[in-house]
Amino acid sequence: DQQVKQNSPSLSVQEGRISILNCDYTNSMFDYFLWYKKYPAEGPTFLISISSIKDKNEDGRFTVFLNKSAKHLSLHIVPSQPGDSAVYFCAASGDYKLSFGAGTTVTVRA
Amino acid sequence: DAGITQSPRHKVTETGTPVTLRCHQTENHRYMYWYRQDPGHGLRLIHYSYGVKDTDKGEVSDGYSVSRSKTEDFLLTLESATSSQTSVYFCAISGDRRGSYEQYFGPGTRLTVT
């Protein structure tokens, strides 16, 4: 049973606009959440994370928001750039193991 | 980038043959993981290790075994490969810092079982 869900398999956004990726989880024991970015034929790379004691974390163009009561997190990318075209995975942890969502493919249009 | 290598990077094998994939790290990290990536499933944990000779099962461990005799190496073995094990396999590592669970991934091994 998948504990982390990304319900949008794909997202297309115009360059310069905001990309919003969503993720839901079911396990209330998760206390740390991460986003990874993956290009074809490469391994996933860590992008940004957030602890359950926070509701927002920013790193440059990337911001992650956490709503614990709704068991929902989102990743905002502003402004979107062509190099952001990739697959984005949401992940959650309560220990040293991660549970991943199925991924969202982001395409940034010129 | 974390020093993680995987070998081989590509492999084609026949059903029923044994296959071993190798993950090597130069970061001296305690935790090592094996995942498989399949369309519609994201990354699923096969096995992980929390120290030399200490391993445990993940969510999709059937048909796989692992060994870790040195900190830097984590081996994944498919005892008798099946077509359902055609996938991309990723190794990952993480350190021992409580409250911070970032994992760093290798480049992957594409395995095809014919």
Side-chain angles (χ1 to χ4, degrees), chain A residues 1-2 31-32 34 36 38 41-46 48-49 51 87 89 93-103, chain B residues 9 31 33 35 37 40-43 45 48 57 90 94-108:
Chain A
D1 189 27
Q2 203 158 14
D31 62 1
Y32 199 77
L34 309 90
Y36 282 82
K38 185 184 180 303
E42 295 183 10
T45 56
F46 170 71
I48 191 169
S49 62
S51 165
V87 178
F89 292 101
S93 178
D95 53 22
Y96 285 97
K97 294 183 290 184
L98 295 180
S99 294
F100 284 85
Chain B
R9 294 294 314 280
Y31 295 88
Y33 309 83
Y35 293 89
Q37 185 198 0
H41 291 279
L43 292 142
L45 182 64
Y48 66 102
K57 295 179 180 179
F90 290 100
S94 68
D96 204 7
R97 190 168 54 148
R98 293 286 316 169
S100 176
Y101 301 121
E102 289 90 358
Q103 295 181 13
Y104 299 93
F105 286 81

Side-chain angles (χ1 to χ4, degrees), chain B residues 43-89:
Chain B
L43 292 142
R44 292 182 291 175
L45 182 64
I46 305 171
H47 282 280
Y48 66 102
S49 170
Y50 46 95
V52 173
K53 292 186 169 48
D54 292 322
T55 64
D56 205 349
K57 295 179 180 179
E59 61 180 298
V60 290
S61 60
D62 287 349
Y64 302 95
S65 63
V66 290
S67 66
R68 190 171 179 197
S69 59
K70 299 185 289 185
T71 299
E72 57 266 35
D73 289 325
F74 192 32
L75 304 181
L76 176 71
T77 297
L78 290 65
E79 304 290 347
S80 177
T82 67
S83 58
S84 65
Q85 293 176 313
T86 291
S87 187
V88 181
Y89 292 85

